[in-house]
Amino acid sequence: MTTAESMGLAEASNAAIYATMVTLTIAMILFAASFASGRRPASAKAHVQVASGSGSVAVLDRPESKSANDPGRKLANVAMSLTWLATGLLTVALVLRGIWAGRVPWGNMYEFSISSAWGVLVVFLVMSLRRDLRWLGLFVVAPALLTLGLAVTVLYTEAAQLVPALKSYWLVIHVSAAIICAGAFTVAASSAALSLVQSRRERSGREWHGPMAQVPSAEKLQTFTSRIIAFAFPLWTFSVIAGAIWAENAWGRYWGWDPKETWALITWLVYAAYLHARSTAGWRGDKASWIAILGLVTFLINYFGVNIFVNSLHSYAGL
Amino acid sequence: MTAPPTLETQAPPPPMDSVGFLRWTWRQLTSMRTALILLFALAVASIPGSILPQRGNNPLLVDEWLEEQPTIGPILDRLGFFDVFGAPWFAAVYLLLFISLIGCVLPRVGVHWRAMRSQPPIAPKNLSRLQAFAETTTALTPTQVVDNANDYLRKNRWRVRTGVTDSQVWVSAEKGYLRETGNLVFHLALVLILAAVAIGGLFGWRGNVIVKEGNGFSNTLTQYDAWGGGRLASADTIPPFAFTLEDFAVEFGRSEAERGSPRLFEATVEVQREPGGPINPDLIEVNHPLTVAGAKIFLVGHGYAPTFIVRDSSGATVLDDAVVFLPQDGNFTSTGVIKVPDSTPQLGFQGIFLPTSAIDDIRGPHSIFPDADDPSVFLSAWEGDLGLDSGIPQSIYTLKTDNMEQIGLRALVPGQTWVFGQGEIEFTGWQRWASFQIAFDPGKEAALAAAVLATLGLTVSLFTRRRRVWVKARVAPNGSTLVESAGLSKSEAGDVSEDVRDLLEASEGIDRR
Ligand code: HEM
């Protein structure tokens, strides 16, 4: 490939990233407007009825749908479409970046960050195919946008080839699993945080008005969170094992307590604790939600903290 | 889990007699809450090991740290904070966790075994109180309804039990036993991983060695620059193979974006797998270690060994060798020491090797590219007593100048000779060296197998829903048959409404599956 051609690809990739960010920003504003306007006249009582479900089959995930021509709902629908569009653009950006660099686009923190933002959006969109997640849109698009913003401003690097230690198909397996996990853990933490707010509101016993009225009950949010984590935890386990195999091939030991490895284990332990908490009386509710948030925090510490501040074998990932 | 989410209330106080107390302690230790807390404890205990430098990974950094922190450094050191993952308190946490795990899981194996061989429990009295419930009326007889339900459930691999209570016929069915099976497999596989890690720790060993191009290595303890092994590994357990480094190829990126970043490392070796055996060529690359007699040889680093000839004042050659210099930065500015014990007086040189030379006022001599495009050395010559006979082992990378006197400084390019009063030194060129890590871990295959087993068990467990459903049928006052169907999810976050709906339809004779 000539230099001019390859510069064209890089610029196209960057342009696609900016287009993604613009689209996501509009989506976020619309989600926010929809969220703020969302008032459901339903009361807490209506919920009890659904849950008791006598004579009929109980409906779980979906909050009582608002009337179709509710303006907030329309905004959210547009925002959902824009999120799909933005994810498509981001996919293009990643593919172009990969073609330019001649490898998977996961060679440094910049590339891993945009891939993680992609992971967040994809996990959210895939889940939205089976249930109404418009209430969650704001809380997923915002972190994705933040990640992209950080990537283009602080972390941007020219694409380079991989250093030999990174050339392995275990890298592809290990990192692709980690990217999906990043997405799932983020969506889970958003929903856990919402469940904490919702649970406070429910305990206060006040009427169901205001933005949080369109959000499912705390218990449903907790269930939703735990489903995502039940999906992501085996994947994270797999990702850690793939990383260990890679490390064994590159450095001669599958586990060396390198800071990156240590924090991967810490994240793993926290999510294992979460799954246990969901089966332990007194821990299933808010406490479990806090653990889900803590899990994401440990993941982020591993990603930002260890890459930037700690002297680790993995620090070659280039800022 | 068979039991619904545990309903442990506040723990009862410990009984006073000793047997009771032991039993109480055991129950506490094997409770879910303890497991939860120990998981957290292990996570927290790992944190210092990721923040403070660790002896196992970076002994030099530990020494630096201790020097900079003379007050708290030694205290932390005594508490094991520089070897967290070998510290007794760290071991205490994970051993407690695993004792708790075994104590928790083994009894569940028995319970699950019995559950799998027994029939589902009979239908509860009042189905409409259950999590999901549906009812309908049909013209079929109650027996036909139950037969339909029975066929449908068995076809879909439910475990089924039928019966009659108070003139009602019922079917009771359960599915998803694999959830508990997977969970038990997962937890037991974790114990296997721990065992495999322990075996690797006891019998495994690893060593590091630097080999210059053209030189050989034979696998005995004395040849290693550094060697460490588990308690049950020793000099006579390491296999006697040998290899020669024929050639070491490196390539560095030269485009602007990738300047100096490594593109290729490749060590061509001749390997003799056992004494007297055939010698075969092979290749060792990053990520492509060579396996010999169960041990793996990894390429972990490389550098330059400039070559010198030193002659004494009579013109006799007192040294003709390639000397290993250690890289100090990404561009391979390398430092090293040449010791010449065989001349009188003894000679010593401190040197800096620059593969691509540059010099400026701030950094002094340094290299600006990692490949040897424009090599040179800067030498500082000393004469006197090298101190090699003092009995204290010396590093080959430092020169003890206490009993020596400096003669002078000089920069040389390949082919140049520096003549000084006591002799001369010729810089003849350079070679590369490669450093290898040779590792033997007899537990790693078992650890991998156990980890795969754990992941499979976990996945099966988390994606299987354990649930029960029931159908009851009886003749209603108006002569038609009243059919009730209900279900209960036995796992977290389960929704059985679909199962109940399908079952009810099947009972009426509508089988959609
Ligand atoms: C190394 C320590 C441990 C780890 C990493 C771990 C991890 C996990 C994970 C990930 C799950 C959820 C997945 C599944 O259901 O298969 C789970 C479930 C479970 N664990 Fe553990 N565990 C550990 C120790 C223990 C201990 C010590 C106990 C006993 C107190 C225990 C009892 C259970 C039980 C009863 C469940 C089932 C919960 C349910 O089905 O809702 N685990 N564990």
Side-chain angles (χ1 to χ4, degrees):
Chain A
M1 199 183 307
T2 67
T3 316
E5 262 174 57
S6 84
M7 283 325 286
L9 279 175
E11 271 159 25
S13 169
N14 293 350
I17 297 269
Y18 286 114
T20 306
M21 291 179 67
V22 171
T23 316
L24 273 188
T25 309
I26 302 171
M28 185 176 77
I29 292 168
L30 295 184
F31 271 131
S34 155
F35 189 73
S37 77
R39 274 160 225 279
R40 181 160 51 106
S43 67
K45 214 163 133 250
H47 253 266
V48 175
Q49 239 173 22
V50 174
S52 77
S54 59
S56 67
V57 171
V59 183
L60 284 176
D61 293 298
R62 206 172 287 252
E64 293 291 88
S65 54
K66 299 185 280 176
S67 68
N69 44 19
D70 180 325
R73 193 184 154 102
K74 271 192 190 151
L75 290 178
N77 285 344
V78 177
M80 279 307 277
S81 307
L82 288 174
T83 309
W84 278 101
L85 176 64
T87 309
L89 286 167
L90 192 53
T91 310
V92 170
L94 281 168
V95 170
L96 290 178
R97 179 94 182 172
I99 296 174
W100 178 39
R103 56 168 170 74
V104 286
W106 307 324
N108 49 48
M109 274 187 83
Y110 167 71
E111 292 172 356
F112 191 72
S113 299
I114 53 178
S115 302
S116 303
W118 181 86
V120 172
L121 295 171
V122 165
V123 168
F124 168 68
L125 290 175
V126 168
M127 297 194 73
S128 79
L129 291 176
R130 291 198 43 199
R131 39 176 86 73
D132 183 354
L133 289 185
R134 279 170 293 203
W135 49 272
L136 189 60
L138 175 61
F139 305 95
V140 166
V141 168
L145 193 55
L146 186 70
T147 311
L148 286 177
L150 266 179
V152 297
T153 52
V154 185
L155 304 172
Y156 186 78
T157 352
E158 292 289 324
Q161 281 186 22
L162 295 183
V163 298
L166 286 169
K167 273 187 195 153
S168 159
Y169 56 89
W170 286 110
L171 167 77
V172 180
I173 296 170
H174 170 66
V175 181
S176 52
I179 285 167
I180 301 297
C181 287
F185 289 154
T186 307
V187 177
S190 289
S191 130
L194 278 175
S195 87
L196 288 170
V197 177
Q198 195 69 303
S199 135
R200 253 185 78 173
R201 230 176 56 104
E202 282 169 13
R203 261 176 301 153
S204 76
R206 265 182 270 128
E207 274 284 280
W208 282 56
H209 281 300
M212 287 303 284
Q214 68 200 305
V215 175
S217 69
E219 202 187 324
K220 284 180 189 170
L221 287 170
Q222 288 158 3
T223 302
F224 181 68
T225 310
S226 82
R227 285 206 183 147
I228 306 173
I229 292 175
F231 156 77
F233 185 77
L235 196 61
W236 182 242
T237 309
F238 172 77
S239 172
V240 172
I241 293 171
I245 295 174
W246 173 25
E248 206 275 333
N249 255 310
W251 300 314
R253 82 288 183 295
Y254 58 87
W255 194 266
W257 296 109
D258 180 83
K260 200 96 186 168
E261 297 165 1
T262 305
W263 278 95
L265 178 72
I266 291 173
T267 300
W268 190 80
L269 288 169
V270 171
Y271 282 110
Y274 172 86
L275 290 172
H276 279 194
R278 287 291 290 167
S279 316
T280 308
W283 283 78
R284 334 178 17 96
D286 287 357
K287 279 187 196 159
S289 299
W290 280 113
I291 301 176
I293 295 170
L294 184 66
L296 180 67
V297 170
T298 63
F299 186 91
L300 293 176
I301 289 179
N302 199 3
Y303 183 49
F304 290 104
V306 174
N307 273 15
I308 297 171
F309 299 112
V310 182
N311 179 358
S312 149
L313 275 175
H314 294 73
S315 302
Y316 46 46
L319 259 183
Chain B
M1 244 196 108
T2 339
T6 42
L7 290 175
E8 296 170 39
T9 42
Q10 214 48 32
M16 280 304 131
D17 65 297
S18 59
V19 175
F21 181 77
L22 277 178
R23 195 175 296 142
W24 177 85
T25 311
W26 181 247
R27 250 202 318 274
Q28 292 307 304
L29 185 62
T30 56
S31 78
M32 275 294 256
R33 189 176 285 113
T34 308
L36 182 61
I37 288 164
L38 286 173
L39 284 168
F40 271 123
L42 190 59
V44 171
S46 309
I47 294 177
S50 76
I51 296 172
L52 294 169
Q54 298 292 298
R55 285 234 154 72
N57 288 339
N58 211 333
L60 294 179
L61 214 60
V62 174
D63 292 341
E64 252 172 54
W65 212 95
L66 285 174
E67 243 164 65
E68 280 167 25
Q69 305 282 343
T71 40
I72 68 162
I75 300 176
L76 290 178
D77 198 14
R78 194 148 343 120
L79 293 176
F81 275 87
F82 298 105
D83 186 17
V84 166
F85 306 107
W89 49 267
F90 188 79
V93 178
Y94 71 74
L95 288 178
L96 266 182
L97 179 58
F98 274 92
I99 291 171
S100 164
L101 187 154
I102 293 167
C104 172
V105 168
L106 282 188
R108 280 169 57 208
V109 173
V111 170
H112 184 52
W113 181 251
R114 284 190 295 277
M116 285 208 301
R117 296 161 54 109
S118 59
Q119 291 200 313
I122 62 169
K125 265 217 167 66
N126 192 347
L127 289 187
S128 64
R129 291 228 196 99
L130 295 174
Q131 205 178 25
F133 173 75
E135 59 185 351
T136 186
T137 51
T138 169
L140 302 177
T141 67
T143 321
Q144 282 172 321
V145 166
V146 165
D147 284 348
N148 281 342
N150 201 343
D151 287 349
Y152 166 80
L153 289 167
R154 285 187 195 276
K155 206 169 76 200
N156 289 288
R157 290 201 310 235
W158 290 71
R159 178 165 308 205
V160 187
R161 176 179 184 180
T162 52
V164 184
T165 315
D166 304 337
S167 74
Q168 286 195 62
V169 272
W170 51 260
V171 184
S172 168
E174 183 161 353
K175 195 175 182 172
Y177 292 82
L178 269 181
R179 183 182 179 87
E180 179 73 354
T181 311
N183 181 297
L184 294 173
V185 166
F186 166 72
H187 283 87
L188 292 174
L190 292 182
V191 181
L192 291 184
I193 294 181
L194 186 71
V197 171
I199 289 173
L202 286 173
F203 294 95
W205 50 263
R206 73 178 56 243
N208 284 78
V209 62
I210 286 181
V211 183
K212 290 178 280 192
E213 278 176 318
N215 283 27
F217 165 80
S218 65
N219 193 26
T220 50
L221 279 195
T222 49
Q223 293 235 337
Y224 282 99
D225 300 327
W227 192 88
R231 237 167 245 157
L232 299 176
S234 68
D236 21 273
T237 62
I238 70 176
F241 59 83
F243 68 87
T244 313
L245 178 62
E246 294 295 323
D247 180 51
F248 185 73
V250 277
E251 249 171 53
F252 297 97
R254 288 180 183 269
S255 73
E256 199 177 329
E258 313 171 349
R259 203 174 153 70
S261 61
R263 288 285 75 87
L264 167 94
F265 303 137
E266 206 173 74
T268 310
V269 291
E270 295 280 346
V271 188
Q272 187 175 35
R273 291 174 182 260
E274 58 207 6
I279 298 173
N280 295 313
D282 228 317
L283 212 58
I284 307 178
E285 291 170 87
V286 177
N287 284 335
H288 293 284
L290 180 66
T291 306
V292 180
K296 273 186 161 182
I297 307 171
F298 295 85
L299 178 60
V300 289
H302 67 105
Y304 290 93
T307 51
F308 299 99
I309 296 175
V310 181
R311 298 180 194 89
D312 63 16
S313 43
S314 71
T317 301
V318 284
L319 178 131
D320 180 358
D321 204 2
V323 183
V324 170
F325 276 38
L326 298 180
Q328 304 297 318
D329 60 26
N331 284 326
F332 285 77
T333 303
S334 306
T335 60
V337 162
I338 310 152
K339 295 181 189 178
V340 194
D342 296 340
S343 69
T344 1
Q346 291 184 325
L347 293 172
F349 302 86
Q350 293 163 326
I352 303 176
F353 174 82
L354 312 173
T356 301
S357 314
I359 186 158
D360 65 35
D361 291 344
I362 303 160
R363 297 183 52 195
H366 64 278
S367 172
I368 50 171
F369 191 73
D371 214 342
D373 289 354
D374 176 19
S376 66
V377 286
F378 283 71
L379 293 177
S380 156
W382 300 72
E383 65 165 342
D385 179 7
L386 287 168
L388 293 175
D389 306 325
S390 66
I392 305 162
Q394 258 190 32
S395 158
I396 58 164
Y397 302 110
T398 52
L399 191 65
K400 260 183 78 113
T401 53
D402 305 357
N403 297 317
M404 304 194 85
E405 221 170 284
Q406 193 167 21
I407 305 170
L409 295 166
R410 185 64 65 90
L412 300 174
V413 295
Q416 274 187 333
T417 304
W418 172 21
V419 184
F420 44 89
Q422 298 77 359
E424 60 180 43
I425 181 164
E426 183 182 347
F427 173 35
T428 51
W430 52 270
Q431 292 178 356
R432 294 187 196 276
W433 53 260
S435 63
F436 296 95
Q437 180 168 97
I438 304 180
F440 174 66
D441 182 343
K444 64 174 192 280
E445 286 83 9
L448 179 61
V452 169
L453 193 64
T455 314
L456 287 179
L458 180 67
T459 311
V460 165
S461 169
L462 287 173
F463 287 89
T464 307
R465 294 179 302 133
R466 177 119 181 224
R467 55 223 197 264
R468 287 187 187 149
V469 289
W470 293 274
V471 172
K472 277 185 183 177
R474 64 165 188 272
V475 180
N478 68 1
S480 64
T481 299
L482 180 68
V483 188
E484 295 176 309
S485 171
L488 185 65
S489 168
K490 309 232 54 185
S491 45
E492 236 275 78
D495 175 7
V496 288
S497 44
E498 216 167 281
D499 291 317
V500 170
R501 197 185 319 120
D502 289 350
L503 178 59
L504 191 67
E505 286 180 355
S507 310
E508 292 178 87
I510 316 164
D511 191 347
R512 284 212 246 123
R513 301 213 171 167

